[in-house]
């Protein structure tokens, strides 16, 4: 079954660069594990919410604003698309994600197939 893991970072949390993540053993061991199990179907690291553009439509008018779509204490910093046996396995994987262990969270959501 496919799930998306939304990796969420606290707004006031530490923003690690791709280079810092590549050198952090907490992240590298996690990444090596999930890639070694061949369960990751795709994913991406996202740029911070300050680089976001939000699009809304009201009637015929398209409204564009800079920044994230909602006020929040966390923001989505990346996604992983995984293919695992069931929700329990997805939760187990999410509970070991370094961001969850460092004060963030990982939302697990099934994919419509």
């Amino acid at each position: 079954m496919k799930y998306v893991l939304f990796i969420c970072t606290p707004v006031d949390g530490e923003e690690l660069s791709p280079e810092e993540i590549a050198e952090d053993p907490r992240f590298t061991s996690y990444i090596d594990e999930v890639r070694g199990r061949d369960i990751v179907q795709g994913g991406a690291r996202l740029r911070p919410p300050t680089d976001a553009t939000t699009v809304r439509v009201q009637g015929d008018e398209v409204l564009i604003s800079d920044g994230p779509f909602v006020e929040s204490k966390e923001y989505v910093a990346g996604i992983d698309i995984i293919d695992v046996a069931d929700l329990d396995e997805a939760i187990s994987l999410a509970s070991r994600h370094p961001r969850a262990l460092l004060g963030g969270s990982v939302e697990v959501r099934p994919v419509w197939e």
Side-chain angles (χ1 to χ4, degrees), residues 6-113:
F6 293 95
I7 297 99
C8 302
T9 298
V11 169
D12 59 354
E14 180 182 9
E15 178 71 35
L16 299 175
S17 70
E19 294 79 19
E20 290 172 312
I21 287 175
E23 295 172 1
D24 187 323
R26 296 170 294 194
F27 283 90
T28 56
S29 65
Y30 178 84
I31 291 166
D32 289 346
E33 176 195 346
V34 297
R35 291 202 176 135
R37 292 175 53 198
D38 199 31
I39 58 176
V40 176
Q41 304 292 301
R45 171 110 191 278
L46 302 176
R47 296 194 50 92
T50 53
D51 292 346
T53 300
T54 299
V55 178
R56 291 182 176 83
V57 177
Q58 292 181 347
D60 293 335
E61 188 176 2
V62 176
L63 306 171
I64 299 172
S65 59
D66 292 333
F69 60 95
V70 296
E71 291 291 322
S72 175
K73 293 181 181 181
E74 294 182 323
Y75 65 91
V76 178
I79 62 167
D80 287 335
I81 301 170
I82 59 172
D83 193 355
V84 293
D86 54 28
L87 179 59
D88 289 338
E89 187 176 358
I91 290 170
S92 174
L93 188 64
S95 71
R96 294 192 315 274
H97 192 284
R99 182 47 60 198
L101 300 172
L102 294 169
S105 64
V106 177
E107 179 182 332
V108 178
R109 193 179 305 176
V111 174
W112 288 107
E113 292 191 85

